[in-house]
Amino acid sequence: MGLIGTTVSTLVKTARNVVCLAALAWALLLAYDIRLPAVKIYGPVIHEFDPWFNYRATEYLAEHGREKFFKWFDHMSWYPLGRPVGTTIYPGMQITAVAIWEALKAVPKKRFKIPKVLHKYVPGGMKALRIAPMSLNDVCVYIPAWFGSIATLCVFLITMEVTRSWIGATASALVMSMIPAHLMRSMAGGYDNESIAVTAICLTFYLWMMSVRSPKSWWIGILAGLSYVYMVAAWGGYIFVINMVGVHAAALVPLGYFNSSTYKAYTLFYIIGTLGAMQIPVVGWTPIKSLEQMGPLVVFIIYQLLELSSTIIRRRGLESFKEKMSVRAQVFGVAFVALSIVVLLLWPTGYFGPFSSRIRGLFVKHTKTGNPLVDSVAEHQAASDSAYWQYLHHGKTLAPWGLVCCLYRPTPAKWFIIIYAAVASYFSVRMVRLLIICGPITSVLAGCLAATVLDSCVKQILDSLAKLASFGGDAEAKAVEMKEADKKEEGKGSPRSGEGKAKDSKDAKAKDKKGGKDDKKKKASSGSVSELGDAFDVIKSHYMSYYDKVVNFVTGPATLPPRAIAAVIVLAMIWQTAPAPISDFRKHCEDMSHGMASPQIMFQSRGRNGQDFIVDDYLESYNWLKAHTPKDARVLAWWDYGYQITGIGQRTSIADGNTWNHEHIATLARCLVSGEKRGHKIIRHIADYVLIWAGGRGDDLAKSPHMARIGTSVFPDICPNNPTCSHFGFHQDHTPTPMMAKSVVYRLHSHNKAPGVVANPALWKEVHTSRYGLVRIFKVLNVSKESKDWVANPANRVCDAPGSWYCSGQYPPALRPLIAKRKDFAQLEDFNKGNREKNAYSKYIEDLNKRGGAGNI
């Protein structure tokens, strides 16, 4: 290539990289700014339900330190039982928040001005970046936005690893910065586990792909394992990550990528990741006991057996296919017998944990799990086409084309993306909540498509310019030189590295010529299997020669001018047609961002005069609890609100958003769906106040049919011979059924609102109704002081050992006859539980599934 051609090519590539870096910086700022509407409207407020527990736990960690945090038994939740927070929480987010909070204390206040010329290009019109110490509340509010930017950077790195394209990686970062599938769990204020978990997922996947890039990159498996440990600490969705890596590692074997480097990478990843995960109390021994994580363990064992087989083969100097297969068969046969004996011995002991109801729901044809508590949660339902359009938008259209692009010149990284896409598409269909894992893969596939199309076009144009700018020399030699330069830029780590695989067809031909005599000798000793393999190689090389001729002609100098013209036409069409869908996508994402900005404990509404105002009934009511009730007050409410009662109101709740104790939630449900007098007889022993959500917007009356079904799953006498509690609800004319009309939840919800409905003044006293009537609080009259004192006495708690911190509370003696009536809940497909009888609801769902889902819930 001439001097002018080289200079032109270098200048264009440098300009491309500079533009891509600027676009990446813009994407990172956009990822931050698009997550801030809630802060701009409502201020730095924690959102929703679960984030309030996370914030309360973070406060406890910051105040008491890590040692006490992991030995924290919270008696203000799940009254009277309490909750061992230290062993039931994924602590990664709390540790991260406190670490950032502490680090910011040591950072001096800094303000970095953004040049005026860039103001109109910076997302949100930011004029400066500020760094300064922050309150713990503010750190927790902003963490989702910060990690949204980091996740965007990780997706950029993933796409760069897959495509080796600056253009493709930048495009994927721009998509990831604002795609609603990621926004839905990373809005500022949404201090939930997923807000940092998606970042940890992307980082783990990136490091894993790097570890299998080349024979010298295996050591990166150490970093991938450490990243996975952080992912485990952050979110229970770590099961998805370990299984994704396990499936990919397993696929590398038949794809021909298994070698000593791949073996080292996965072995290091699995050992470090598993040992690290087991140090997290909530996880413990589940990685080697839970059926949900057996797959990666099996892959780990297979890798050890394959490496052992390879070691034996090398030491014995075996060359024939038959001898090698004999060694592998012996190794795997002995291992299979040994593992079968171990499984047969452990299975009857209940060593292997069952699949959870949520996991089972991902593999059955129906959307009902047999657990009315799980079935009542909207995000556990199947995803619809509209949900995909809502959360992926145009990414849904681009992703399949990006997947096709990954099939061209596949590498271990591309195979990972293909598998990730298949897994994400399957599981997101089963559960709408899992659309969150579609955000990164959709962004990467969009980047792969951009890389394939745009890089190909740019390459043709550059090659043509270089040819025109060159003086003298052989045109074909120059084309070969440019082709080799492009290969180097694509990356050195992608060729397949399995045993016996040639790097390309030319290498294979050279090898055939050089070792032809040796091959003839091997044929005589290896038998018919080797002959079949040789025959296949001959056929393959025959057709590959034609393939090479076609490729060389199409990509050769003779077709360069028409290719360059076609590239210009394609780029012109993209320039003409792309702005509209890009603008549409950005507008959709911004609209979704504003739609997700409501903290739920407060929201915007519009009055008759057209003016917007903020409704803060929920926040105000929880603050009322904190200001107007005794510190030892116990507040009974549906389990959804428990986190807010303890987090904002700082009062004891009966249950909260953690669904670990189905029977206790069913007992709470019985309190609310029973008649006033029957319900009060229970409530007076465990609560001082009852909090009811009213005024519509998915209030307690709307949730009450679920309460009835959950209650009857443990107390069959609530709805005898009626597992769906169809008698608890409303008639078509919106009047309540007799059972509904008598219930505690209906009487308190509709007190002095519905005609003729008045709560019994001998049982309840209304003490607070919020400004817009969305929350009502009633004081429980004739509370049993004896039961309250009995529960408060530490002597009545059950500790797992003398002097231990793990001390569970007990129901007061007055409720023991009621507790004795409970039937422990058994779900569909539960095993390792003896002959426990399924409840009526589970039986009904089982029959419903057998009939193909025809029925009403």
Side-chain angles (χ1 to χ4, degrees):
M1 185 183 292
L3 178 61
I4 296 178
T6 303
T7 303
V8 170
S9 179
T10 302
L11 288 175
V12 172
K13 289 178 180 178
T14 302
R16 175 200 64 187
N17 295 347
V18 170
V19 171
C20 287
L21 282 175
L24 174 62
W26 189 84
L28 298 179
L29 288 173
L30 174 62
Y32 174 71
D33 182 72
I34 200 171
R35 288 164 169 79
L36 297 182
V39 175
K40 296 175 181 177
I41 297 171
Y42 304 101
V45 178
I46 303 292
H47 293 193
E48 304 176 10
F49 303 105
D50 292 15
W52 277 104
F53 165 75
N54 294 325
Y55 177 64
R56 179 166 171 254
T58 305
E59 283 187 315
Y60 191 94
L61 175 62
E63 182 178 350
H64 296 92
R66 195 169 300 182
E67 183 178 355
K68 289 187 176 180
F69 177 79
F70 285 110
K71 294 181 179 179
W72 176 25
F73 200 104
D74 182 19
H75 289 285
M76 285 186 65
S77 62
W78 292 89
Y79 182 88
L81 307 177
R83 174 186 174 182
V85 176
T87 57
T88 59
I89 188 175
Y90 290 95
M93 187 166 57
Q94 286 75 20
I95 294 173
T96 300
V98 172
I100 294 174
W101 177 62
E102 293 287 356
L104 288 176
K105 288 181 181 179
V107 174
K109 292 184 178 180
K110 292 287 184 181
R111 186 173 184 270
F112 302 95
K113 289 185 177 180
I114 297 175
K116 289 184 179 180
V117 69
L118 298 177
H119 284 180
K120 64 179 181 179
Y121 301 108
V122 175
M126 287 186 286
K127 298 180 180 180
L129 295 175
R130 297 176 179 84
I131 300 177
M134 301 173 68
S135 68
L136 185 59
N137 176 86
D138 289 358
V139 169
C140 295
V141 167
Y142 282 98
I143 272 181
W146 294 337
F147 274 76
S149 293
I150 300 173
T152 299
L153 178 60
C154 290
V155 166
F156 172 88
L157 295 174
I158 289 174
T159 312
M160 180 64 78
E161 178 66 22
V162 173
T163 64
R164 292 292 168 190
S165 165
W166 281 88
I167 295 175
T170 304
S172 67
L174 290 168
V175 174
M176 183 64 178
S177 67
M178 56 181 133
I179 192 166
H182 187 212
L183 286 178
M184 67 175 176
R185 291 288 180 172
S186 61
M187 296 296 294
Y191 184 55
D192 214 345
N193 298 76
E194 293 93 329
S195 63
I196 69 169
V198 172
T199 304
I201 289 173
C202 294
L203 180 60
T204 303
F205 287 167
Y206 169 65
L207 293 171
W208 166 248
M209 286 189 287
M210 283 193 67
S211 71
V212 295
R213 177 203 289 181
S214 69
K216 295 182 179 180
S217 62
W218 56 266
W219 62 271
I220 302 176
I222 299 173
L223 301 180
L226 294 174
S227 178
Y228 170 68
V229 174
Y230 179 71
M231 168 61 213
V232 176
W235 186 37
Y238 73 90
I239 294 173
F240 162 71
V241 176
I242 188 65
N243 279 283
M244 261 302 307
V245 174
V247 170
H248 181 244
L252 292 180
V253 177
L255 289 172
Y257 293 102
F258 178 84
N259 53 32
S260 294
S261 177
T262 309
Y263 162 75
K264 292 175 186 176
Y266 185 72
T267 299
L268 287 170
F269 167 81
Y270 187 82
I271 291 176
I272 293 173
T274 300
L275 290 178
M278 291 170 67
Q279 307 311 306
I280 300 169
V282 69
V283 176
W285 291 90
T286 55
I288 57 175
K289 295 178 67 176
S290 172
L291 291 178
E292 297 165 0
Q293 300 178 58
M294 283 295 106
L297 175 59
V298 171
V299 174
F300 174 77
I301 295 172
I302 291 174
Y303 263 47
Q304 308 314 305
L305 298 177
L306 286 173
E307 185 66 13
L308 176 61
S309 301
S310 298
T311 302
I312 295 173
I313 290 170
R314 285 196 299 269
R315 289 181 177 177
R316 294 182 180 178
L318 304 179
E319 295 183 356
S320 72
F321 178 80
K322 185 176 181 180
E323 290 174 325
K324 291 178 181 180
M325 288 304 297
S326 177
V327 170
R328 293 190 178 102
Q330 292 176 29
V331 171
F332 276 84
V334 172
F336 177 77
V337 172
L339 289 174
S340 298
I341 293 173
V342 172
V343 171
L344 289 173
L345 291 174
L346 291 178
W347 192 273
T349 67
Y351 173 85
F352 298 103
F355 291 107
S356 68
S357 58
R358 290 183 179 90
I359 296 297
R360 283 198 315 277
L362 299 175
F363 292 98
V364 292
K365 294 182 180 180
H366 51 87
T367 60
K368 299 299 179 182
T369 66
N371 184 332
L373 183 58
V374 173
D375 293 344
S376 70
V377 181
E379 64 183 16
H380 294 159
Q381 305 305 311
S384 61
D385 288 340
S386 61
Y388 279 96
W389 178 253
Q390 182 180 15
Y391 291 108
L392 300 180
H393 205 247
H394 288 308
K396 175 187 175 184
T397 305
L398 298 178
W401 293 105
L403 189 63
V404 173
C405 294
C406 287
L407 295 173
Y408 178 68
R409 291 183 180 176
T411 63
K414 287 184 177 180
W415 279 116
F416 183 89
I417 294 302
I418 293 168
I419 295 170
Y420 183 0
V423 172
S425 61
Y426 173 82
F427 287 117
S428 60
V429 167
R430 314 301 293 186
M431 186 183 294
V432 68
R433 179 184 183 181
L434 294 182
L435 276 168
I436 189 173
I437 66 175
C438 291
I441 186 60
T442 300
S443 303
V444 171
L445 291 176
C448 290
L449 178 61
T452 301
V453 176
L454 298 180
D455 278 354
S456 297
C457 291
V458 170
K459 177 182 179 300
Q460 308 311 316
I461 295 171
L462 286 179
D463 289 352
S464 181
L465 291 175
K467 181 179 179 181
L468 292 173
S470 300
F471 295 95
D474 182 73
E476 187 173 352
K478 284 181 279 185
V480 172
E481 184 181 348
M482 289 186 289
K483 194 179 294 184
E484 292 298 323
D486 290 331
K487 286 183 179 179
K488 288 181 181 179
E489 185 175 320
E490 286 177 4
K492 301 177 181 179
S494 61
R496 184 176 301 193
S497 53
E499 294 180 353
K501 294 292 183 180
K503 292 182 178 179
D504 53 45
S505 60
K506 292 183 180 180
D507 289 342
K509 291 178 183 178
K511 187 177 180 182
D512 288 341
K513 292 179 181 179
K514 186 177 180 181
K517 295 181 179 180
D518 294 334
D519 290 341
K520 290 178 180 179
K521 293 179 181 179
K522 290 178 183 178
K523 285 181 183 180
S525 61
S526 59
S528 59
V529 175
S530 179
E531 292 174 0
L532 287 173
D534 290 340
F536 176 77
D537 287 339
V538 170
I539 296 172
K540 180 180 177 182
S541 62
H542 177 72
Y543 282 101
M544 285 302 297
S545 65
Y546 286 105
Y547 174 79
D548 289 341
K549 289 179 182 178
V550 172
V551 170
N552 290 334
F553 173 76
V554 173
T555 61
T559 60
L560 184 56
R563 281 188 281 123
I565 294 172
V568 171
I569 294 173
V570 170
L571 289 178
M573 292 177 61
I574 293 174
W575 181 266
Q576 184 69 27
T577 59
I582 291 174
S583 177
D584 182 38
F585 176 70
R586 184 177 178 185
K587 183 179 184 303
H588 174 78
C589 295
E590 289 175 346
D591 291 343
M592 289 291 292
S593 172
H594 284 278
M596 298 172 183
S598 172
Q600 291 195 10
I601 59 169
M602 51 203 306
F603 58 91
Q604 274 190 323
S605 187
R606 179 163 294 179
R608 295 179 180 177
N609 59 1
Q611 296 293 319
D612 290 338
F613 62 96
I614 293 177
V615 178
D616 64 349
D617 277 32
Y618 305 117
L619 181 62
E620 179 265 331
S621 296
Y622 296 128
N623 283 325
W624 184 93
L625 281 175
K626 182 166 63 175
H628 296 91
T629 61
K631 289 185 178 181
D632 65 346
R634 305 157 301 170
V635 181
L636 184 144
W638 188 229
W639 65 280
D640 288 357
Y641 325 131
Y643 287 148
Q644 295 175 342
I645 290 170
T646 53
I648 307 173
Q650 297 180 13
R651 294 298 179 263
T652 299
S653 64
I654 307 303
D656 56 38
N658 188 307
T659 57
W660 67 283
N661 192 326
H662 181 99
E663 288 75 19
H664 186 72
I665 294 177
T667 305
L668 169 60
R670 184 185 182 99
C671 294
L672 293 170
V673 302
S674 296
E676 271 192 286
K677 290 185 177 180
R678 292 185 64 185
H680 181 270
K681 286 181 179 179
I682 307 171
I683 294 172
R684 64 185 291 267
H685 291 287
I686 57 175
D688 303 294
Y689 295 87
V690 177
L691 183 146
I692 298 290
W693 272 27
R697 292 180 57 86
D699 62 13
D700 284 345
L701 216 55
K703 297 171 184 173
S704 61
H706 291 298
M707 300 179 191
R709 284 194 286 270
I710 293 168
T712 203
S713 68
V714 172
F715 295 97
D717 61 317
I718 294 179
C719 298
N721 302 317
N722 185 9
T724 62
C725 285
S726 57
H727 301 310
F728 188 92
F730 289 88
H731 297 297
Q732 291 185 351
D733 60 0
H734 303 296
T735 58
T737 61
M739 186 178 177
M740 169 69 83
K742 296 176 183 178
S743 67
V744 170
V745 64
Y746 179 79
R747 306 297 292 182
L748 299 186
H749 173 281
S750 303
H751 171 67
N752 289 333
K753 287 174 60 179
V757 179
V758 178
N760 190 332
L763 306 178
W764 328 98
K765 178 183 178 181
E766 184 179 10
V767 293
H768 175 75
T769 297
S770 60
R771 181 178 180 182
Y772 298 102
L774 299 184
V775 181
R776 312 188 76 175
I777 300 175
F778 292 81
K779 185 176 182 179
V780 181
L781 303 181
N782 193 26
V783 169
S784 173
K785 188 174 184 303
E786 180 183 357
S787 292
K788 186 173 184 178
D789 292 342
W790 189 91
V791 173
N793 187 350
N796 293 321
R797 294 172 183 166
V798 180
C799 300
D800 62 348
S804 172
W805 65 274
Y806 197 107
C807 298
S808 301
Q810 299 185 75
Y811 292 101
L815 292 184
R816 286 177 183 170
L818 172 71
I819 303 305
K821 293 173 61 178
R822 296 194 310 198
K823 290 189 175 181
D824 289 345
F825 183 72
Q827 307 173 105
L828 295 183
E829 298 113 3
D830 269 3
F831 48 94
N832 292 343
K833 294 181 180 294
N835 295 319
R836 180 185 297 180
E837 181 182 359
K838 293 185 178 73
N839 64 84
Y841 180 83
S842 293
K843 290 179 179 178
Y844 172 79
I845 294 298
E846 195 170 36
D847 292 339
L848 186 66
N849 296 333
K850 291 178 180 178
R851 298 197 304 270
N856 297 317
I857 302 294

Coordinates of all heavy atoms in Angstrom, one line a residue, residues 581-620:
P581 N -36.3 6.0 13.3 CA -36.4 5.0 14.4 C -35.5 5.2 15.6 O -35.9 4.9 16.7 CB -36.0 3.7 13.7 CG -35.3 4.1 12.4 CD -35.9 5.4 12.1
I582 N -34.3 5.8 15.4 CA -33.4 6.1 16.5 C -34.1 7.2 17.4 O -34.1 7.1 18.6 CB -32.1 6.6 16.0 CG1 -31.3 5.5 15.4 CG2 -31.3 7.3 17.1 CD1 -30.0 6.0 14.7
S583 N -34.7 8.2 16.8 CA -35.4 9.2 17.5 C -36.6 8.6 18.3 O -36.9 9.0 19.4 CB -35.8 10.4 16.6 OG -36.6 11.3 17.3
D584 N -37.3 7.7 17.6 CA -38.5 7.1 18.1 C -38.1 6.2 19.4 O -38.8 6.3 20.4 CB -39.1 6.2 17.1 CG -40.4 5.5 17.6 OD1 -41.2 6.2 18.4 OD2 -40.6 4.4 17.3
F585 N -37.0 5.5 19.2 CA -36.5 4.7 20.3 C -36.1 5.5 21.5 O -36.5 5.2 22.7 CB -35.3 3.9 19.9 CG -34.6 3.1 20.9 CD1 -35.3 1.9 21.5 CD2 -33.4 3.4 21.4 CE1 -34.7 1.2 22.5 CE2 -32.8 2.6 22.4 CZ -33.4 1.5 22.9
R586 N -35.4 6.6 21.3 CA -35.0 7.5 22.4 C -36.2 8.1 23.1 O -36.2 8.2 24.3 CB -34.0 8.6 21.9 CG -33.5 9.4 23.0 CD -32.5 10.5 22.6 NE -32.1 11.3 23.8 CZ -31.3 12.3 23.7 NH1 -30.8 12.7 22.5 NH2 -31.0 13.0 24.8
K587 N -37.2 8.6 22.3 CA -38.3 9.2 22.9 C -39.1 8.1 23.7 O -39.6 8.4 24.8 CB -39.3 9.7 21.8 CG -40.5 10.4 22.3 CD -41.4 11.0 21.2 CE -42.5 11.8 21.8 NZ -43.4 11.0 22.7
H588 N -39.2 6.9 23.2 CA -39.9 5.8 24.0 C -39.2 5.6 25.3 O -39.8 5.4 26.3 CB -39.9 4.6 23.1 CG -40.5 3.4 23.8 ND1 -41.8 3.2 24.0 CD2 -39.8 2.3 24.4 CE1 -42.0 2.1 24.7 NE2 -40.8 1.5 25.0
C589 N -37.8 5.5 25.2 CA -37.1 5.3 26.5 C -37.2 6.4 27.5 O -37.4 6.2 28.7 CB -35.6 5.1 26.1 SG -35.2 3.6 25.1
E590 N -37.3 7.7 27.0 CA -37.4 8.8 27.9 C -38.8 8.8 28.5 O -39.0 9.1 29.7 CB -37.2 10.1 27.1 CG -35.7 10.3 26.8 CD -35.5 11.5 25.9 OE1 -36.5 12.1 25.3 OE2 -34.3 12.0 25.8
D591 N -39.8 8.4 27.7 CA -41.2 8.3 28.2 C -41.3 7.2 29.3 O -41.9 7.4 30.3 CB -42.2 8.0 27.1 CG -42.4 9.2 26.1 OD1 -42.0 10.3 26.5 OD2 -42.9 9.0 25.0
M592 N -40.7 6.1 29.0 CA -40.6 5.0 29.9 C -39.9 5.4 31.2 O -40.3 5.1 32.3 CB -40.0 3.8 29.4 CG -40.8 3.1 28.3 SD -42.2 2.2 28.9 CE -41.5 0.9 29.9
S593 N -38.9 6.2 31.1 CA -38.1 6.6 32.2 C -39.0 7.5 33.1 O -39.0 7.3 34.3 CB -36.9 7.4 31.8 OG -36.2 8.1 32.9
H594 N -39.7 8.4 32.5 CA -40.6 9.3 33.3 C -41.8 8.5 33.9 O -42.2 8.7 35.0 CB -41.1 10.4 32.4 CG -40.1 11.5 32.2 ND1 -39.9 12.5 33.1 CD2 -39.3 11.7 31.2 CE1 -38.9 13.3 32.6 NE2 -38.6 12.8 31.5
G595 N -42.2 7.4 33.2 CA -43.3 6.6 33.7 C -42.8 5.8 34.9 O -43.6 5.4 35.8
M596 N -41.5 5.4 34.9 CA -41.0 4.6 36.0 C -40.5 5.5 37.2 O -40.0 5.0 38.1 CB -39.8 3.8 35.5 CG -40.2 2.8 34.4 SD -38.7 2.0 33.7 CE -39.4 0.9 32.5
A597 N -40.6 6.8 37.0 CA -40.0 7.7 38.0 C -40.8 7.8 39.3 O -40.2 8.2 40.3 CB -39.9 9.1 37.4
S598 N -42.0 7.4 39.3 CA -42.8 7.5 40.5 C -42.3 6.6 41.6 O -42.1 5.4 41.4 CB -44.3 7.1 40.2 OG -45.0 7.1 41.4
P599 N -42.0 7.1 42.8 CA -41.5 6.3 43.9 C -42.6 5.4 44.5 O -42.3 4.6 45.3 CB -41.1 7.3 44.9 CG -41.1 8.6 44.2 CD -42.1 8.5 43.1
Q600 N -43.9 5.5 44.0 CA -45.0 4.7 44.5 C -45.5 5.2 45.9 O -46.7 5.2 46.2 CB -44.7 3.2 44.5 CG -44.6 2.7 43.1 CD -44.7 1.2 43.0 OE1 -45.0 0.5 44.0 NE2 -44.4 0.6 41.8
I601 N -44.6 5.5 46.8 CA -45.0 6.1 48.1 C -45.5 7.5 47.9 O -46.0 8.1 48.8 CB -43.9 6.0 49.1 CG1 -42.7 6.7 48.7 CG2 -43.6 4.5 49.5 CD1 -41.7 6.9 49.8
M602 N -45.2 8.1 46.7 CA -45.7 9.4 46.4 C -45.8 9.4 44.8 O -45.0 8.7 44.2 CB -44.9 10.5 46.9 CG -43.4 10.4 46.6 SD -42.3 11.3 47.8 CE -43.0 12.9 47.7
F603 N -46.7 10.2 44.3 CA -46.9 10.2 42.8 C -47.5 11.5 42.4 O -48.1 12.2 43.2 CB -47.7 9.0 42.3 CG -49.1 9.0 42.9 CD1 -50.2 9.6 42.3 CD2 -49.3 8.3 44.1 CE1 -51.4 9.5 42.9 CE2 -50.6 8.2 44.7 CZ -51.6 8.8 44.1
Q604 N -47.3 11.8 41.1 CA -47.9 13.1 40.6 C -49.3 12.8 40.1 O -49.7 11.8 39.6 CB -47.1 13.6 39.4 CG -45.9 14.4 39.8 CD -45.3 15.1 38.6 OE1 -45.2 14.5 37.6 NE2 -44.8 16.4 38.8
S605 N -50.2 13.8 40.3 CA -51.5 13.8 39.8 C -51.9 15.2 39.3 O -51.1 16.1 39.5 CB -52.5 13.4 40.9 OG -53.8 13.2 40.4
R606 N -52.9 15.2 38.5 CA -53.3 16.5 37.9 C -54.7 16.9 38.4 O -55.7 16.1 38.3 CB -53.3 16.4 36.4 CG -53.7 17.7 35.7 CD -53.3 17.6 34.2 NE -51.8 17.7 34.1 CZ -51.1 17.6 33.0 NH1 -51.8 17.6 31.8 NH2 -49.8 17.7 33.0
G607 N -54.9 18.1 38.9 CA -56.2 18.6 39.4 C -57.1 19.0 38.3 O -56.7 19.1 37.1
R608 N -58.3 19.4 38.7 CA -59.3 19.9 37.7 C -58.8 21.2 37.0 O -59.3 21.5 35.9 CB -60.6 20.1 38.4 CG -61.2 18.7 38.9 CD -62.5 19.0 39.6 NE -63.1 17.7 40.1 CZ -64.3 17.7 40.8 NH1 -64.9 18.8 41.0 NH2 -64.7 16.5 41.2
N609 N -58.0 21.9 37.7 CA -57.5 23.2 37.1 C -56.3 23.0 36.2 O -55.7 23.9 35.7 CB -57.1 24.1 38.3 CG -56.0 23.6 39.1 OD1 -55.5 22.4 38.9 ND2 -55.6 24.3 40.2
G610 N -55.9 21.7 36.0 CA -54.8 21.4 35.1 C -53.5 21.5 35.7 O -52.5 21.2 35.0
Q611 N -53.4 21.8 37.0 CA -52.1 21.9 37.7 C -51.7 20.5 38.2 O -52.5 19.8 38.8 CB -52.2 22.9 38.8 CG -52.5 24.3 38.4 CD -51.3 24.9 37.6 OE1 -50.2 24.7 37.9 NE2 -51.7 25.7 36.5
D612 N -50.4 20.2 38.1 CA -49.9 19.0 38.7 C -49.6 19.2 40.2 O -49.2 20.3 40.6 CB -48.6 18.6 38.0 CG -48.9 18.1 36.5 OD1 -50.0 17.7 36.2 OD2 -47.9 18.2 35.7
F613 N -49.8 18.1 40.9 CA -49.5 18.2 42.3 C -49.0 16.8 42.8 O -49.3 15.8 42.1 CB -50.7 18.6 43.2 CG -51.9 17.7 43.1 CD1 -52.1 16.7 44.1 CD2 -52.8 17.9 42.1 CE1 -53.2 15.9 44.0 CE2 -53.9 17.0 42.0 CZ -54.1 16.1 42.9
I614 N -48.3 16.7 43.9 CA -47.8 15.5 44.4 C -48.7 14.9 45.5 O -49.0 15.6 46.5 CB -46.3 15.7 44.9 CG1 -45.4 16.0 43.7 CG2 -45.8 14.4 45.6 CD1 -44.0 16.4 44.2
V615 N -49.0 13.7 45.3 CA -49.8 12.9 46.3 C -48.9 12.1 47.2 O -48.2 11.2 46.6 CB -50.9 12.0 45.7 CG1 -51.7 11.3 46.8 CG2 -51.8 12.9 44.8
D616 N -48.8 12.4 48.4 CA -47.8 11.7 49.3 C -48.5 11.0 50.5 O -47.9 10.9 51.6 CB -46.7 12.7 49.8 CG -47.3 13.8 50.7 OD1 -48.5 13.9 50.8 OD2 -46.5 14.5 51.4
D617 N -49.7 10.5 50.2 CA -50.5 9.9 51.3 C -49.7 8.7 52.0 O -49.8 8.6 53.2 CB -51.8 9.3 50.7 CG -52.9 10.4 50.6 OD1 -52.5 11.5 50.4 OD2 -54.1 10.1 50.7
Y618 N -49.1 7.9 51.2 CA -48.4 6.7 51.8 C -47.2 7.2 52.7 O -47.1 6.7 53.8 CB -47.9 5.8 50.7 CG -49.0 5.4 49.7 CD1 -48.9 5.7 48.4 CD2 -50.1 4.6 50.2 CE1 -49.9 5.3 47.5 CE2 -51.1 4.2 49.3 CZ -51.0 4.6 48.0 OH -52.0 4.2 47.1
L619 N -46.4 8.0 52.1 CA -45.3 8.5 52.9 C -45.7 9.3 54.2 O -45.2 9.0 55.3 CB -44.4 9.5 52.1 CG -43.1 10.0 52.7 CD1 -42.2 8.9 53.1 CD2 -42.5 11.0 51.8
E620 N -46.7 10.1 54.0 CA -47.3 10.8 55.2 C -47.8 9.9 56.2 O -47.7 10.1 57.4 CB -48.3 11.8 54.7 CG -49.0 12.7 55.7 CD -50.3 12.1 56.2 OE1 -51.0 11.4 55.4 OE2 -50.6 12.3 57.4

